[in-house]
Amino acid sequence: MLLDSLIEKATQASTKTVAVAAAEDSEVIKAVVEASERNLAQFILYGNQEKINMLLESYNHNMRIVHAETTALAAELAVKAVFTKEADVLMKGNIPTNTILKAVLNKEYGLRTGNILSHTAVFEIPDYDQLIIITDAAMNIAPNLDQKAQIVQNAVSIARSIGIVHPKVAPLAAVESVNPVMDATLDAAALTVMNKRGQISGCIIDGPLALDNAVSIMAAEHKGIHSDVAGKADILLVPTIEVGNVLYKSLIYFAKAKTGAVIAGAKAPIVLTSRADSSESKLYSLALALCCAKN
């Protein structure tokens, strides 16, 4: 399975609407236009109407634009559109993350469900024969055990939406054995037990696992690790945001991996890409979000 398959999967679903907050960005517009041309979705663009029209001119595209004087207002209007079900997916444009999250978390019209919000990224890595899901590289700084359990459930939901029916989850640590002075190993072991007892469902969890043992069967066999997850993980649960962020960016900049990412756990999928992300990454993130919205 490649990330292009997500675009095909999203195209086959019934047409969804995406609300884009602060759409006045060339890479955002490029992704939106390509998604529209591929019939992935319809779009409502919130932001500076004049700037958005200027960006659309070179594409000769007519899209619905709702003018907003500020990025904060653009975020509010886009979130409200999802809250009222005028749109199915929220997308971040040229706007600071904290501005759009403030609107998402608004008690009156926000998109909170009571579950934790977490960043979930799907990677296509050169010379690796499956998609890998990594969580959480951008939202939760140092999640506790309960938060990690919710992050896993969010990631499992994403995995199932793209066709990974019973994903294998590897809670990552620096070592494969439980060490009382290493919290990541304690949480990994607890998550494994919680999964076996049905407290976390829809997946198989086994940990702690170091990265090599999670993704390489040869490495796992060399260290004598035998499990349903070792060497075959679909989901990598990182212990802290620093680990997730470094792993995420290492795959992009060193391994030249392709990725699409969403924020899961809200009432609707949220495309929360970095302003530095390419239009291709934004397109894959859109496709991922639309697959989630379908489910």
Side-chain angles (χ1 to χ4, degrees):
M1 183 190 295
L2 302 177
L3 283 176
D4 283 337
S5 68
L6 301 187
I7 296 176
E8 183 179 343
K9 191 178 182 71
T11 304
Q12 293 171 351
S14 57
T15 303
K16 302 291 185 182
T17 300
V18 179
V20 185
E24 55 271 27
D25 176 89
S26 59
E27 292 297 308
V28 169
I29 292 296
K30 185 177 179 181
V32 163
V33 168
E34 184 171 356
S36 179
E37 289 176 345
R38 291 179 179 233
N39 297 316
L40 261 69
Q42 298 176 337
F43 293 88
I44 309 173
L45 309 181
Y46 296 87
N48 186 301
Q49 187 167 11
E50 182 179 354
K51 291 181 179 179
I52 294 172
N53 276 324
M54 287 177 61
L55 291 169
L56 283 171
E57 274 182 2
S58 59
Y59 296 102
N60 193 29
H61 258 266
N62 291 317
M63 291 190 186
R64 181 181 170 189
I65 302 171
V66 178
H67 181 69
E69 289 289 343
T70 65
T71 55
L73 180 58
E76 177 184 333
L77 294 174
V79 169
K80 283 182 175 177
V82 177
F83 179 78
T84 60
K85 301 191 184 303
E86 185 180 3
D88 306 285
V89 171
L90 175 66
M91 181 176 182
K92 171 183 175 288
N94 189 14
I95 182 173
T97 297
N98 63 340
T99 301
I100 194 167
L101 286 180
K102 183 178 179 180
V104 168
L105 299 176
N106 184 280
K107 293 181 180 179
E108 181 185 348
Y109 57 80
L111 305 178
R112 288 297 299 268
T113 61
N115 295 332
I116 196 170
L117 301 183
S118 59
H119 182 270
T120 306
V122 181
F123 278 91
E124 177 188 320
I125 305 168
D127 299 323
Y128 196 70
D129 61 0
Q130 68 177 73
L131 295 178
I132 283 285
I133 298 172
I134 296 175
T135 190
D136 178 330
M139 286 286 293
N140 297 283
I141 297 171
N144 60 30
L145 177 61
D146 179 61
Q147 290 170 328
K148 286 179 180 178
Q150 293 184 56
I151 290 170
V152 168
Q153 292 286 193
N154 285 347
V156 168
S157 176
I158 300 295
R160 293 170 72 92
S161 75
I162 63 174
I164 305 174
V165 179
H166 204 66
K168 301 175 180 66
V169 183
L172 296 182
V175 295
E176 302 79 36
S177 56
V178 175
N179 186 326
V181 299
M182 300 176 75
D183 289 342
T185 68
L186 297 175
D187 286 350
L191 291 167
T192 301
V193 173
M194 290 169 72
N195 175 241
K196 289 180 178 178
R197 294 184 177 180
Q199 292 172 264
I200 304 173
S201 60
C203 62
I204 304 172
I205 304 177
D206 187 39
L209 288 172
L211 178 62
D212 55 347
N213 306 314
V215 300
S216 168
I217 293 176
M218 184 181 298
E221 289 178 347
H222 183 73
K223 291 191 176 182
I225 301 171
H226 304 285
S227 79
D228 292 328
V229 176
K232 298 169 282 189
D234 300 297
I235 298 171
L236 304 178
L237 173 70
V238 301
T240 65
I241 196 171
E242 291 87 0
V243 175
N245 198 271
V246 171
L247 178 57
Y248 180 102
K249 290 176 180 175
S250 294
L251 288 172
I252 292 173
Y253 288 99
F254 290 140
K256 307 302 179 185
K258 299 178 181 179
T259 186
V262 297
I263 298 296
K267 291 179 181 177
I270 303 171
V271 180
L272 197 70
T273 54
S274 166
R275 281 171 283 180
D277 286 344
S278 66
S279 60
E280 179 186 59
S281 180
K282 288 177 168 64
L283 179 66
Y284 287 137
S285 297
L286 266 171
L288 178 60
L290 291 165
C291 289
C292 298
K294 175 188 174 184
N295 289 273

